[in-house]
Structures are given as structure tokens and as C-alpha cells.
Amino acid sequence: MSKDWPLWEVFIRSKHGLSHKHVGSIHATDAEMAMNNARDVYTRRNEGASIWVVPSAQIVSSAPGDKEMLFDPSNDKVYRHPTFYEVPSDVENM
Amino acid sequence: MYSQFVDTGAQGKSTGQDASEQERAFQARIDEGISIEPKDWMPEKYRKTLVRQISQHAHSEIVGMLPEGNWITRAPSLRRKLILLAKVQDEAGHGLYLYSAAETLGASRDELLDALHEGRAKYSSIFNYPTLTWADIGAIGWLVDGAAIMNQVPLCRCSYGPYARAMVRVCKEESFHQRQGYELLLEMVNGTDDQKAMAQDALNRWWWPSLMMFGPADGDSIHTQQSMAWKIKRHTNDELRQRFIDQTVPQAHYLGLEIPDPDLRWNEETGHYDIGEINWDEFWNVVNGNGPCNRERLAARRKAYEDGAWVREAAQAYADKQQQRRAAA
């Protein structure tokens, strides 16, 4: 039995002006093969203007258990949103 | 139905008193329609069931290339050859999206492939039937891909995020598969008498196996309840089968072909077509490895995998060498 080739995550920029978006993963022995495989698997219909491939092992991700610690602090800061402020309706262009 | 018999490890569903608090919270999340992502806590049975379901689905895409690949070199025109090549390449792509989704659950690609090659994993029964004539390529696109779409569209809303997203990609691509098949048959039924007879013969052979793709009747489908509670199955086998029949019969009429079922009737009361008895003995026979092509398909998969071993080894050796060179430099 062979061993799995390293896993790479694939990100595609579908159009100029948009960010890259995660689309899935592929296996490849090196970066060049990862790029070729990503092209074959994820851009068969002109979906891509640019591809990033990143070794999956290199991705650091937040844990679901840390959700409160990470994201709750911004939850109660309503003053970061424009709707927090009252501007008289006579004032225009704001 | 590309995954016809997914064992959930439980008969019926377990959401009752014996469920732990964590399990109840998990179920509540699914009931609310919040999708489950790879790092989220999930019951072990949910994980195992999904790995089984997604890998059966992936294996079906991969084995599904064989009956059609059989005709690439014999396509009757360059146009048809290009279409068939693109379709078979899509099936490979779909298999890869799905393996990639299964891997987010901690499955290893090589282990999944080993399970297929050693006959421990299942794939859809439909791919164990032979493609005898060119019209079969049309029938597969129209019926087999049509049935697949019927099953896969609801899975775009399944509870597991990576699986749902893979299904969205697959469904976008699959629609051309069905249309090219129907177009192919339309050309044949408007051709010579022999060509029309060939189209009818293909429908005769593929109709019942296509209906079997939806899996056993609801009464015999012991894992449906749990899978539906988990939202990794959104409709029962019989519901989807009926929808497929209702949609496909008029399409056959348009082709001027006859559905090979003397009991087929439009039922005014229910607003559905009634069909004759499905030959479940045949279904279980194929599922259990005794269909017309089970051994041939597995042997072809194994051979392809073994013949490719030196390529995989060479690519790995090359990558290792390059890495050592970079380290030394």
C-alpha cells in the first residue's frame, strides 16, 4: 500500500477584482503538480483567473471552541456600526 | 443513490432519551439548518456514515467512467468524441471533489481507494451493466445522469458543508451530461430504422437499472430515517424515484420510444405514473457483486491503479530529490 501524497488546499480567483476563494483540495507531490492538478480539477469551465495552492498542513485555523473568545468581543461594540449614530434627517450626504 | 445503501450504524434514528447533551445540541443545530463544518464536534456515527456515503458517491463517479470510456475511441464523430471525453473527464473531477470532501472528515484517500479495490466499498449498481451499443451512451446521459441529478440537487442542501459545496459544483456541471445524452438519442430516433431500434433497445436495457439507482423501496431502507434526521438525505428513495419517473416518461414519449413496462399507467388520482414491479432480486444480485460486469469493473479499476504505481512512485521520488537538493543548497 502506498502512502497519500501531501494534501494541498486550492483557492481560485474567479474574476479580476475578486478575492481568491477556497474551492477544495487536491493531492500532489510538489507545488508544480499541485498547480497542474488544481487547474485540471477546479477550472475545467473557465472558472479561474488565478490559482493559489497551499499545503494543507501549513494552514492555521481557529477552533470552533474558540468561537466565543475570538468573536464575541466584537459583538457588543455596536458603536462600530454607522447605524449607532443619530444624524438629523435634515443633514444630507452622510 | 450514487450511494444506495449507506449504513448509519443504527436502525431507525437515535434522538431520544439515550442521546447525550452534545448529541442533542448537534441535532438542534441541524434542525435549525446550520451547516456542520469539518472542525465542529459531530457524533461518531454521523462522521462514519458520511465517510461511507461520500466515498460510495466518489467511487461511483470513478467506476462510472468505465462504461462510457469504453466508447471514446468509437464515437461516431469528432463532435461526439469531444463531448464524451469532456463528460468522462468531468466524472473524474466529480470523484475528486468528493474524495476531497471525505478527507475533511479524516478519511485517507489511499484507504478509501484500497477499500474500493479490495471490494469492501460499494459503488452504484448501475455501473455494473455493459454498454453494448452507441445508443447506450445516450441512455446513460439521459437516464443515469438524470437520476443522479435528481438525487444530487437536494444534497446541495445537506447538513455537511464540504459535501453540500461539492454537490453544488457537481450539479452545475452535470446538466450538460444529461442534455448531451438526450440530444444523442434524439438524433438516433430521427435516423434510420436501425438507429431508432438501437435507441429503443438501449432504453429497454437501461430503464429498470436506472430506477434501481434510487435504492431499495422505502420499507426496506432501514437507514433512511436516521440519514434524514441528519439531513444527509433529504428525500426517501421512493419519493425521488417517483419524481424521476414522472419527469422521464414524457421525455421518452417525445423521443417516440416506449418505456419497457406494460404496467406503466398515468394515475389521474395521484397525479403520478404507476409502474410495474421492480425486480429486486436483480437489484440485490448486482449489489452483492453478481451483476453482469461487477468483476470486470473492479478488475479494470485495479489494473489502472496498479499500472499507475510507477508514475506515483516516480513523482514522489522526484519531489523528494528536489527537496533534498533545496535543503543541501
Side-chain angles (χ1 to χ4, degrees), chain A residues 3 13-14 18 23 26 39 41 43 55 58 77 82 86:
Chain A
K3 99 186 193 318
R13 182 208 297 284
S14 56
L18 295 180
V23 291
I26 46 103
R39 187 202 71 144
V41 176
T43 65
Q58 295 294 316
K77 294 180 176 54
E86 270 183 42

Side-chain angles (χ1 to χ4, degrees), chain A residues 1 4 27 44-45 61, chain B residues 39 90 103 110 114 173:
Chain A
M1 200 190 115
D4 277 337
H27 286 274
R44 283 193 306 284
R45 281 174 180 72
S61 100
Chain B
K39 290 198 152 191
D90 271 354
E103 286 174 284
D110 276 344
D114 284 344
E173 299 181 354

